[in-house]
Amino acid sequence: NVQASAPAARDALARGVASGLGFVYDDAHESGTAQRFGRAPGYPVFLAALDAGRPVPTATPARVKVAQSLVGALTVWLLGLVALYAAGPRAGMWAAAIAAVYPPLVVLPSYALSETVFSGVALTAAFVLQLAADRARTEAHAPVSRTVLLALAAGVLAGGAALIRPAMLLYLPLAVAWLLIARRVTLAIALTVAVFAVITPWTLRNLRVHERFVLIPSEGGV
């Protein structure tokens, strides 16, 4: 069996969400004899917010291209900001300049693929966590609640990124290990709690729908 194309499947799920039916494939989604795999909910929700699945699109709608181009532009600025924070103004300028002409960042917003949105959310999560760790290290007498709030925000963003592309789950153990090595146990706990607070409702939904444990997606494919 050949899996239905990812854009078509996400469009179909977006139509279901926008129509109030939930994360279900509608009759307009033709998949032949292929199994209709479950998918992570984040990107279909993004498309549904733009009402991008209705009517059934024959190409990526212009409003999706515009929205993703804006997200991509913000990601370019974010990459420049990360480099500026890490290595100074010169590095920030070069990072932003290279990102602005990097072919995948330029081309991907034209397609109904989740990479553009995922990249922006994932990078923001990593940057906010870095801010939390640095503030905890440099501001010895800073209120703990402030650094914890940053770590919680990073966890919410990381959880949201995982609901867009589950590969983000690989980030969590690495980030927690990094915090533990730096003796930032409180931040590690805050990050973990926030990530699972975002993911758990969807996992419970999967348990009810699929009657078995599925952390985020039940997707298969190539």
Side-chain angles (χ1 to χ4, degrees):
N1 288 347
V2 179
Q3 184 183 4
S5 69
R10 290 174 183 134
D11 287 340
L13 291 175
R15 285 194 297 276
V17 174
S19 301
L21 301 175
F23 288 88
V24 294
Y25 292 108
D26 59 12
D27 294 336
H29 179 54
E30 297 291 342
S31 59
T33 59
Q35 185 176 359
R36 296 181 179 184
F37 294 105
R39 294 184 178 274
Y43 191 63
V45 168
F46 173 80
L47 294 177
L50 299 172
D51 203 15
R54 300 183 298 182
V56 179
T58 57
T60 304
R63 56 185 175 275
V64 174
K65 295 181 180 181
V66 171
Q68 293 189 156
S69 294
L70 292 173
V71 173
L74 290 173
T75 302
V76 170
W77 283 100
L78 177 61
L79 286 167
L81 180 62
V82 169
L84 171 67
Y85 185 79
R90 186 182 182 91
M93 180 188 70
W94 277 106
I98 293 170
V101 296
Y102 182 59
L105 288 179
V106 174
V107 172
L108 283 175
S110 296
Y111 299 92
L113 298 171
S114 60
E115 280 82 355
T116 297
V117 179
F118 169 75
S119 297
V121 178
L123 282 169
T124 304
F127 184 54
V128 172
L129 185 62
Q130 181 71 59
L131 292 176
D134 287 350
R135 175 163 290 184
R137 182 181 68 251
T138 60
E139 300 180 18
H141 302 293
V144 175
S145 58
R146 188 178 302 172
T147 57
V148 170
L149 284 175
L150 283 172
L152 289 171
V156 169
L157 289 165
L163 291 179
I164 298 171
R165 292 187 70 86
M168 186 67 179
L169 290 173
L170 295 173
Y171 165 81
L172 181 60
L174 295 175
V176 168
W178 172 64
L179 291 171
L180 292 178
I181 291 172
R183 299 181 180 179
R184 304 299 174 195
V185 177
T186 303
L187 299 186
I189 293 172
L191 175 71
T192 304
V193 168
V195 168
F196 283 104
V198 172
I199 294 175
T200 297
W202 181 253
T203 304
L204 294 176
R205 174 264 183 195
N206 287 339
L207 185 63
R208 178 176 61 84
V209 171
H210 302 299
E211 297 183 346
R212 62 187 177 89
F213 177 79
V214 179
L215 184 60
I216 296 179
S218 59
E219 61 189 5
V222 179

